[in-house]
Amino acid sequence: VGANFAAALITGFDWQNKPMDVVYQMAYVVMLAIVALLFWPLRQVLRRAHDSSGSNVSVLVVVAYGVATLACLVFHVSGAKLDVFGEDQPAKFRRSFENAPLVAYDVLSVAFLAALGGAAGYGDMLGWVLLLFIYGMRLTTPYAFVGYPHNVQLYVWAMVVQACGLRGAPRIARWVHAYWPLLICALLACITRQWGRCDLFPSFTLWRRARFYGAEG
């Protein structure tokens, strides 16, 4: 990011009004750093769950994520909008922040369930529960630029699987190893005729979303 910023200064690029064009390809690295800090408390809960050493810290983390999730849900249901950018700013930024309460709920709800399941000792079944919840949300709640919060959801899911494991994973690996040609055919059958970024702009039909996210899952 520093190198990009230095290049912007040298070339006279309008970085004040286009900061994301300066970050550009390093956006994922920046987001990984932010997400790692945001979910550091969840990491501690999962570590304690893995070591079977529960504590009051786990309860506090579950409550914190739960309250934040509920607040975002209430804010979204109320129909309130966050008008951060003016009309002169790109529509992409305006539309993203209009959905900010829903985006925050999308991400925090997964973190809450992960913390709750970890504290409750769900073990290697927690990954499957989260997977059903994540893709259930993707099928029932489409909105513009959903791919970005969806990536964060998968980051949380990966944290859970890394800490708690995933029941049946060795058997699934053997099936994929043995029947991968059939799996490739099944994935090709999931391709729809929709053009563009289906990850950022989901289809309006449930069937097409099911095909797209079925292949991803």
Side-chain angles (χ1 to χ4, degrees), residues 22-145:
V22 176
V23 179
Y24 199 54
Q25 79 275 15
M26 299 304 295
Y28 270 103
V29 178
V30 174
M31 284 306 301
L32 281 174
I34 294 174
V35 169
L37 292 174
L38 179 63
F39 296 119
W40 178 84
L42 175 60
R43 181 183 179 188
Q44 305 309 310
V45 173
L46 296 175
R47 278 185 171 180
R48 287 178 169 83
H50 180 71
D51 298 336
S52 300
S53 57
S55 67
N56 292 332
V57 174
S58 299
V59 176
L60 291 176
V61 172
V62 171
V63 171
Y65 280 132
V67 170
T69 301
L70 181 60
C72 292
L73 178 61
V74 171
F75 199 91
H76 170 66
V77 172
S78 69
K81 300 290 184 181
L82 293 179
D83 189 11
V84 178
F85 296 98
E87 292 296 328
D88 58 331
Q89 296 298 321
K92 178 170 67 174
F93 293 130
R94 297 201 307 270
R95 291 172 63 186
S96 297
F97 275 82
E98 283 178 358
N99 290 327
L102 178 57
V103 170
Y105 168 77
D106 230 2
V107 172
L108 290 173
S109 59
V110 176
F112 167 66
L113 290 177
L116 180 63
Y122 270 40
D124 57 2
M125 280 300 297
L126 181 56
W128 290 114
V129 173
L130 290 180
L131 207 60
L132 288 174
F133 179 79
I134 289 171
Y135 284 99
M137 287 287 292
R138 294 289 62 80
L139 291 178
T140 58
T141 316
Y143 55 89
F145 302 103

Side-chain angles (χ1 to χ4, degrees), residues 185-208:
C185 293
L187 293 178
L188 290 175
C190 291
I191 298 176
T192 68
R193 294 184 179 181
Q194 182 179 353
W195 293 90
R197 294 287 302 272
C198 298
D199 59 327
L200 295 183
F201 303 99
S203 172
F204 291 109
T205 66
L206 179 62
W207 170 238
R208 286 187 175 181

Side-chain angles (χ1 to χ4, degrees), residues 169-186:
R171 181 177 298 176
I172 294 173
R174 289 196 299 270
W175 287 350
V176 172
H177 184 267
Y179 303 109
W180 65 267
L182 295 178
L183 178 61
I184 295 297
C185 293

